Amino acid sequence: MSDDPEEGMLSWDESVFRDEHVFEIDYVPETFKHRETQLESLKYALRPAVRGSRPLNTVVRGPPGTGKTTAIQKLFGELGTHTEVRTVRVNCQVDSTRYAVFSSLFEGIFEYEPPSSGISFKKLFNQVTDHLVEEDEVLVVALDDVNYLFYENEASDTLYSLLRAHEAHSGAKIGVIVVSSDLSLTIMEELDSRVQSVFRPEEVYFPTYDVGEIVDILRERIERGFHRDVIGSRELDRVAELTADSGDLRVGIDLLRRAGLRAEMRGSKTVSVEDVESAYDKSKYVHLSRSLRGLTDSEGALVEVLAEHDGEQAGSVYEAFHERTDLGYTRYSEIINKLEQLGVVETEYADVEGRGRSRSISLAYDPEAVMDRL
Ligand SMILES: Nc1ncnc2c1ncn2[C@@H]1O[C@H](COP(=O)(O)OP(=O)(O)OP(=O)(O)O)[C@@H](O)[C@H]1O
Ligand SMILES: [Mg+2]
C-alpha cells in the first residue's frame, strides 16, 4: 500500500486515453482478426477484376457490427493500388435511390459531384459507363446497407441498371457487392424476376463474434487507445460479455470509451467494473442511435409522435401524425413498415372489443431513450 493519497488519481492535465480517436465510429482498425475466411471468399470473388475481367457478384450478410463494412474498406484499400480497378462504397442509408447511388458512383469515379442543376439518370449512367469503357477500368461497387434500398423500393431498379450495364454499353465491366445487416430480408426473393434472372451472387456470411474473439479484438483497441493498465482483465471480460449479449462490436468499442470517460470524471487512473456497468446504460443504445440517424424529417416526426402515443392503435397514431405532417395514410404505412424493419417499432395485432382486429404500434425502446437520440 502506498502512503500517497493521490496515488491512482489523475491530475487535471492527465488522461486515461493514449489515443481517444481509436474509439470513434469511423476509425478503421489496423488489424482485422477473425475474419480470415470471409476475406478469402471476398478476394476470390474480386480477383478477376485485377485481371481486367468482371468480378463475381457477391451478397454479404450478417448482423450489425460484425465487420462487414470494415472488410469492404480493407479490400477496397488493397484494390486501390491497381490503377485499372475503381472501387466505390455507397452508403445506402444516405443514398437510398437509384439516382443517388449513381450520383455517388459518378463522384467516386470523377472525383467531383455531378452537376447539381440535375441531369437525367440516363446521362449520369452513360457518363459513368463511358468512362469505364474509355479508360478500360473495372468498377467494383459495394452497396453497403443495401436494406435501405429495399425499404425505399429502389433495390431492383438499381441492381438492374448495374447488372445490365454491359448490355446497355458493351465493354462496361461492373461487379456488385451487396451488403445487408437485415437478416429478415431475403434479398433474392424481394427482387423483381428480371433482376433474379441475371443475379447469381456468391454468398459470404459474417456471424457475430463470440466472447473470446471480442476480448481478442478489443484488447488491441485498448492497447492503442488507453495508457497501460487502465483496464484490467476483469473489466475487459465484463465489456466482452455485455458486447456479446448485443452481438454488435460497436457496443464494446463505445463502452470502452464511455467507461474511460467515467474513470476520468472520478479522477481515477483506472477503469472499474462499475464504470463499465454505468457506461452500458448509454452504450446499449448505439444501434438505436445509428438507426435514428438515417431517418428523414417525416420519419423522425413519426417516431416523435409514437413516443407520445406509445402502444396506441394504428388509427389514432395516424391521426396525430397527419396533424403534424399533413402526410397521407399510404406514406404513413410505408414509414411504419420501414421503422419496423429497422427494429425501431413493433406492431401487434389484437382483438379490440366491438371493432374486430386492429393493429397497435409501439416503440421497441424506452420512449425517453428514443427522444434523447432523435
Ligand atoms: N475483426 C475486427 N477487428 C477490429 N475491429 C473490428 C472488427 N470487426 C469489427 N470491428 C469494428 O467494429 C465496428 C463495427 O464494424 P463494421 O462497421 O465493419 O460492422 P458492420 O458489419 O458493417 O455493421 P452494420 O451492419 O451495422 O453496418 C467498427 O468500429 C469496426 O472498426
Ligand atoms: Mg456496415
Side-chain angles (χ1 to χ4, degrees), residues 73-92:
Q73 286 168 323
K74 289 270 172 202
L75 287 171
F76 280 13
E78 289 172 23
L79 278 174
T81 58
H82 296 267
T83 48
E84 64 284 11
V85 182
R86 300 300 289 259
T87 56
V88 183
R89 184 177 73 89
V90 181
N91 178 350
C92 299

Side-chain angles (χ1 to χ4, degrees), residues 17 23 218 226 231 235-236 238-244 249-262 271 275-284 286:
F17 295 106
F23 302 112
L218 292 183
F226 287 118
I231 295 212
E235 290 73 28
L236 173 55
R238 186 65 188 132
V239 170
E241 262 170 39
L242 291 167
T243 307
L249 199 67
R250 281 192 201 90
V251 171
I253 296 169
D254 193 66
L255 202 45
L256 288 175
R257 173 158 175 268
R258 287 184 193 274
L261 291 171
R262 289 204 164 254
V271 168
D275 291 326
V276 173
E277 301 290 352
S278 6
Y280 187 63
D281 284 339
K282 292 251 160 65
S283 297
K284 64 184 172 190
V286 288

